[in-house]
Amino acid sequence: MTDVTNTPECRQHGPMTLHTGDQSPAQSFTGTWYTCTDPTCWSAVLYPSAELVADLDAQGSPAKAPLTITHTRAEGTLLSGSVKGDGAYELLRPFRFRVSPSIGIYLRGSRDRRADLYLIRQAAEALREAGHQVTVEIDETQRRAFAEAESDRTDRAAGRAERFGARAEQLQTSSDAKWERGRAITRGYAGEPVKVDHYSANRHRRDLERAHRLFGQSAQEQAEADRCADRAVTAEHYEQHRRNPGVTLRRLERLQADRRRVERQQARTVEDAEAGKLTVEALVAALIRLDADHADLCDEIGDWEKVIAQAEVEGVKLWGPGDFQPGDFVRSGSRLLEVLRVNKKTVTVPGGPEAGPIVSKANRQYSWNGKLPYDKVTGRVSAEELRALLAQAEEEAQQGGSAVSEQDERDA
C-alpha cells in the first residue's frame, strides 16, 4: 500500500477516517481508502497502490512483441521480432548493432566469428529494461567453409568497387560542369569590378555570388569524387592484396600462433574440469566454442597454404634462411642491405633511416642493427655480384666522362 502521511479532509465534514472494514481482494489491490465520518456522505479518497499504478501504466502502453537475439558463425548475430517504431534499434545502436534492408538488425563484424557474449548480454539487458521480452539463442556449431566466406568477401569488394567507381564518375561529371558554369559567368566580366553606381551593379553582384557558390559546390564534389575513386581502387585491389605471398605468409604466421593458443586453452579447460573447477555445463560450453575456433583456424590455414603453394608453382620466390649467408646483400624495395647475420625468421641488417641505395658495414651511418623478415625480401645479391655491378657502374661513368671531355675539346 501507498504510505499516507496526511489525512484527507471532507469539504463539509472535516477529517476523514481510514476505511478498515472488510475489503474484497480487488479493493485491497487498489490501495488505501479514506471515507467521510458522516454516514450519509459519500465522499471518499483513494491512495492507489504501487501494483495498481504499474498495472495502469502497462495497460496504457502498447504491447511489445517478443525479441530474439540469435548467433551462428554462418550468419552472425541477428535480432528478430523487431518492428518499425518499437525503439529496439535505437537501444541497440550503442552496442555496435546496425540495420540493413536485406539483413535487418545485426551486430557489425559478428559473422564467421564466435559470439561476443559481452555485447550480446549488454544488448539483451538494455532491451529488457525497456520492457521487451528477449530470448538469446547461440549456436557455435553452425559455420561455413572459409573458402565460401572468402569468396563472399571478394564478391562484395567487387560490388564496392563498381558502386564507388560509378559514384566517383557521377560526382566528377557534376563537379566539372559546375566549375565550367562558374567560369562562364566570371569570364563574361573579365575581372571587371562592380560599378557601384551603375544600374548593372545588382546583377553583377548576383552573378558573382552565383559563381562563388558554383565553385564551392564544385570543390566539395571534387573532394568526394576523389574519396570515392580511392575507395574504388582499394576495393579493386582487395583480392590481389589478400593473396599477396608476403602478406599471406605474415597472416599464416599469426593464424598458426592463434591455433597453438586455442590448443593450449583446450588442454587447460580439460585440466580445470578434471580438477573440479568447472561444471559439466561450463565444460561443454567452453569446448564447443574452442572446437569451433580450432576448426575455423584449421580451415583458414589450409586455404592460405594452398595460396602459397600455388604461388610457388607459378614461380614466386619465397625466401628463407637457406638463401643467405653473412656478407650477401638483401634487396628490400629499392635498397640493398648487407646481411650481418642469418636468423630463423629474419636477417640482421644495418639499422637506421635510409642512407642510400646500398647500405653496408662500410658506409653505415648508424651503430644499431635491424631485422628484416623474409616475407619482405624481394631479392638477393652476393658480395661478388655486387662488386661486379659497382665496377661496371664505375667504368660506365668513366667512359661517359671521357666522351664529354672529347666533345668539350671539339666545341672549344
Side-chain angles (χ1 to χ4, degrees):
M1 298 295 182
T2 303
D3 293 335
V4 180
T5 57
N6 297 324
T7 302
E9 293 186 358
C10 176
R11 292 183 179 181
Q12 296 179 354
H13 306 100
M16 295 184 178
T17 60
L18 178 65
H19 180 70
T20 58
D22 295 336
Q23 293 182 340
S24 66
Q27 290 175 327
S28 301
F29 171 78
T30 56
T32 304
W33 288 89
Y34 281 85
T35 58
C36 183
T37 56
D38 188 342
T40 62
C41 181
W42 292 89
S43 297
V45 174
L46 169 67
Y47 289 96
S49 64
E51 293 82 359
L52 177 60
V53 173
D55 185 69
L56 292 174
D57 290 341
Q59 293 178 16
S61 60
K64 297 181 178 180
L67 305 177
T68 304
I69 299 177
T70 61
H71 176 84
T72 62
R73 301 202 176 198
E75 299 295 336
T77 304
L78 305 174
L79 177 72
S80 59
S82 176
V83 295
K84 186 176 181 180
D86 63 359
Y89 175 63
E90 289 73 16
L91 292 170
L92 295 181
R93 186 172 174 80
F95 306 109
R96 219 172 65 218
F97 278 79
R98 297 295 181 265
V99 64
S100 168
S102 58
I103 302 175
I105 301 177
Y106 65 97
L107 178 59
R108 182 180 173 187
S110 61
R111 198 174 188 187
D112 300 314
R113 297 181 181 178
R114 68 156 60 184
D116 192 330
L117 300 179
Y118 177 73
L119 281 180
I120 292 175
R121 191 179 300 113
Q122 282 191 318
E125 290 177 357
L127 291 172
R128 293 190 181 108
E129 290 177 359
H132 293 275
Q133 298 179 6
V134 184
T135 303
V136 178
E137 299 176 356
I138 297 176
D139 185 359
E140 298 281 5
T141 61
Q142 293 188 31
R143 49 182 296 274
R144 58 177 180 168
F146 176 76
E148 178 185 353
E150 187 68 11
S151 176
D152 182 49
R153 284 189 283 267
T154 302
D155 292 341
R156 284 189 279 119
R160 288 197 303 273
E162 184 177 355
R163 290 195 304 274
F164 281 114
R167 178 63 174 163
E169 185 177 354
Q170 179 184 7
L171 289 169
Q172 186 66 58
T173 302
S174 177
S175 175
D176 293 342
K178 290 179 179 178
W179 184 267
E180 288 302 323
R181 283 159 56 193
R183 289 289 303 275
I185 294 173
T186 57
R187 194 180 298 116
Y189 291 100
E192 181 182 358
V194 178
K195 300 175 182 177
V196 178
D197 297 329
H198 197 263
Y199 70 89
S200 65
N202 290 336
R203 184 185 65 184
H204 195 164
R205 291 192 186 96
R206 288 194 302 270
D207 288 344
L208 291 180
E209 290 175 358
R210 183 166 172 247
H212 180 73
R213 184 168 61 253
L214 288 170
F215 287 146
Q217 293 173 353
S218 175
Q220 291 178 355
E221 291 181 354
Q222 181 65 60
E224 182 64 15
D226 293 342
R227 188 187 73 86
C228 291
D230 291 341
R231 294 198 64 177
V233 171
T234 301
E236 287 176 359
H237 294 84
Y238 171 82
E239 185 177 9
Q240 178 182 355
H241 175 74
R242 288 277 288 178
R243 303 178 76 85
N244 177 275
V247 175
T248 303
L249 286 173
R250 291 192 291 274
R251 185 184 299 114
L252 271 173
E253 184 176 354
R254 174 180 57 81
L255 291 172
Q256 289 166 352
D258 289 342
R259 182 169 61 180
R260 292 191 295 270
R261 174 180 54 79
V262 170
E263 291 172 349
R264 291 193 298 269
Q265 289 178 344
Q266 289 174 319
R268 284 198 300 268
T269 301
V270 174
E271 291 174 358
D272 290 343
E274 292 175 347
K277 298 180 181 179
L278 291 177
T279 63
V280 176
E281 293 78 7
L283 173 64
V284 171
L287 288 181
I288 288 176
R289 288 195 299 271
L290 291 173
D291 288 346
D293 290 342
H294 193 266
D296 285 344
L297 288 169
C298 291
D299 191 11
E300 186 172 358
I301 289 172
D303 198 78
W304 291 123
E305 286 177 344
K306 293 177 183 177
V307 172
I308 295 299
Q310 181 63 30
E312 290 180 321
V313 171
E314 294 174 356
V316 177
K317 174 60 179 176
L318 302 178
W319 302 95
D323 299 314
F324 300 97
Q325 59 183 0
D328 291 341
F329 283 78
V330 60
R331 185 179 298 279
S332 176
S334 61
R335 293 195 301 167
L336 286 174
L337 306 172
E338 184 175 0
V339 176
L340 305 179
R341 186 168 59 250
V342 179
N343 311 306
K344 183 178 180 181
K345 296 183 178 181
T346 63
V347 288
T348 303
V349 296
E354 184 172 344
I358 302 176
V359 182
S360 64
K361 290 188 293 186
N363 67 352
R364 63 185 303 173
Q365 299 181 5
Y366 301 92
S367 59
W368 65 85
N369 296 330
K371 291 185 177 181
L372 183 68
Y374 291 113
D375 52 59
K376 292 187 177 181
V377 173
T378 58
R380 169 189 174 275
V381 177
S382 65
E384 294 77 11
E385 292 173 339
L386 182 62
R387 283 195 294 269
L389 290 174
L390 293 176
Q392 182 180 358
E394 183 178 358
E395 182 180 355
E396 292 176 354
Q398 291 177 354
Q399 291 178 356
S402 301
V404 172
S405 300
E406 294 174 359
Q407 182 66 34
D408 292 341
E409 292 178 357
R410 287 196 296 270
D411 292 341

